[in-house]
Amino acid sequence: TKSGLVFVRDDKPQGIGEVIAVGSDVELIKVGDKVLYTEYAADPFTVNEEKLILIKSSGILGIIET
């Protein structure tokens, strides 16, 4: 998306997820990053039985380096 949105796979502990898609306006976050996010910025939904979360990039608190 163009609006700075990030899609995260919701299979990690609360507040941590793996980025599966990013908007074109997002510069520092990329697909495959593991991120820490605020639960208040998360909008959960399900696609084909997979739990996903839509998060505004401002709701990302940090990137977890492994």
Side-chain angles (χ1 to χ4, degrees):
T1 67
K2 286 186 156 184
S3 59
L5 299 175
V6 178
F7 289 91
V8 175
R9 181 174 290 119
D10 182 22
D11 62 353
K12 306 286 184 237
Q14 185 69 17
I16 298 174
E18 178 184 350
V19 177
I20 62 167
V22 296
S24 60
D25 290 349
V26 179
E27 296 179 13
L28 300 176
I29 302 165
K30 62 184 181 304
V31 172
D33 282 347
K34 290 192 186 345
V35 294
L36 177 65
Y37 60 89
T38 175
E39 65 180 281
Y40 301 108
D43 188 14
F45 64 100
T46 302
V47 175
N48 297 326
E49 299 184 21
E50 183 175 25
K51 293 180 183 178
L52 302 171
I53 299 173
L54 175 64
I55 304 172
K56 289 182 109 175
S57 58
S58 61
I60 303 291
L61 301 173
I63 299 171
I64 300 170
E65 295 187 19
T66 55

